[in-house]
Amino acid sequence: QQQVKQSPQSLIVQKGGISIINCAYENTAFDYFPWYQQFPGKGPALLIAIRPDVSEKKEGRFTISFNKSAKQFSLHIMDSQPGDSATYFCAATWSGSARQLTFGSGTQLTVLP
Amino acid sequence: NAGVTQTPKFQVLKTGQSMTLQCAQDMNHEYMSWYRQDPGMGLRLIHYSVGAGITDQGEVPNGYNVSRSTTEDFPLRLLSAAPSQTSVYFCASSRDRGSSYNEQFFGPGTRLTVL
């Protein structure tokens, strides 16, 4: 049972372009939505996160857009750089789950120079 | 601080063998967890612990055991390895559970192959 669906599975973007990764969730109890970034051979690391009481959160070139009614959220990477090439995971959690993270399936982003 | 450390980095087992994956953190975090990462599946929670002496099952607990005798250590035991347990295993920790979310810090992973 996949509670968080992520797309696309892979994404190739030219340097300077915009990368967009989408996620959809089913459990309306989720109340925190982090994105994790993982480089090859490393563990995931928190990139940015949002709560459902706001529709957008921006940190530098990274923006999360959140649509509570549609139960969807997305990560936008502006001015994508080759150093952004990594696997990105969306996730969701809620207080009743002992703050367990439910992850999406991941998106492998390649930014071409 | 070393953060979250995992050993070994790589391991090859034969079907039926047992082994323990080690995880330690030096951040005095209460919450620790084990995930497995498989292609196209994301990270799936195996077991987690909200404090010393307390453990619980995650999404995919079968074939794995855990214990939490200290705050720092959270070993994962494979009782009788099967090829389906070939995966990359990540340990993670966070400050505590509760009503607010606390960032989970992940270790570097253990790549396990079961022949």
Side-chain angles (χ1 to χ4, degrees):
Chain A
Q1 179 184 356
Q2 189 178 8
Q3 294 192 53
V4 179
K5 294 185 179 180
Q6 183 172 346
S7 62
Q9 189 173 356
S10 63
L11 181 62
I12 299 174
V13 174
Q14 292 286 341
K15 178 182 176 181
I18 302 173
S19 304
I20 301 174
I21 304 171
N22 300 300
C23 286
Y25 63 97
E26 300 168 4
N27 187 350
T28 55
F30 287 144
D31 62 2
Y32 201 83
F33 302 86
W35 284 87
Y36 279 78
Q37 180 187 53
Q38 183 183 30
F39 292 106
K42 305 292 186 182
L46 180 65
L47 179 65
I48 187 173
I50 194 168
R51 297 187 186 277
D53 53 351
V54 297
S55 60
E56 184 175 284
K57 183 172 182 180
K58 184 176 181 179
E59 290 185 2
R61 295 184 294 107
F62 300 90
T63 299
I64 301 177
S65 297
F66 189 86
N67 186 330
K68 188 174 181 179
S69 60
K71 294 187 287 185
Q72 295 176 346
F73 59 109
S74 59
L75 176 69
H76 296 237
I77 306 175
M78 311 300 289
D79 187 26
S80 299
Q81 299 296 312
D84 297 331
S85 297
T87 300
Y88 293 81
F89 293 96
C90 61
T93 184
W94 64 292
S95 60
S97 66
R99 285 298 172 197
Q100 298 173 36
L101 286 171
T102 298
F103 283 90
S105 55
T107 296
Q108 187 169 348
L109 172 65
T110 302
V111 182
L112 301 175
Chain B
N1 287 352
V4 180
T5 58
Q6 292 183 236
T7 55
K9 236 180 145 43
F10 302 94
Q11 183 69 49
V12 179
L13 291 178
K14 293 181 179 179
T15 297
Q17 287 185 315
S18 62
M19 80 158 296
T20 299
L21 278 61
Q22 301 292 343
C23 174
Q25 52 89 12
D26 62 358
M27 297 174 282
N28 201 31
H29 285 172
E30 290 295 319
Y31 186 101
M32 296 186 74
S33 52
W34 276 101
Y35 295 87
R36 59 177 290 172
Q37 182 176 14
D38 302 291
M41 304 285 289
L43 291 100
R44 293 180 293 169
L45 184 66
I46 304 171
H47 285 285
Y48 66 98
S49 169
V50 299
I54 306 170
T55 63
D56 206 346
Q57 297 180 353
E59 180 185 355
V60 288
N62 292 341
Y64 307 95
N65 271 0
V66 292
S67 60
R68 184 96 179 271
S69 56
T70 68
T71 299
E72 294 78 20
D73 301 298
F74 191 43
L76 178 72
R77 283 182 290 275
L78 280 70
L79 306 175
S80 178
S84 61
Q85 294 179 305
T86 294
S87 187
V88 181
Y89 291 85
F90 288 100
C91 179
S93 74
S94 64
R95 194 173 67 225
D96 54 49
R97 64 186 179 104
S99 60
S100 60
Y101 177 75
N102 294 291
E103 176 183 357
Q104 287 202 30
F105 295 86
F106 284 80
T110 294
R111 183 174 293 274
L112 175 68
T113 301
V114 182
L115 303 175

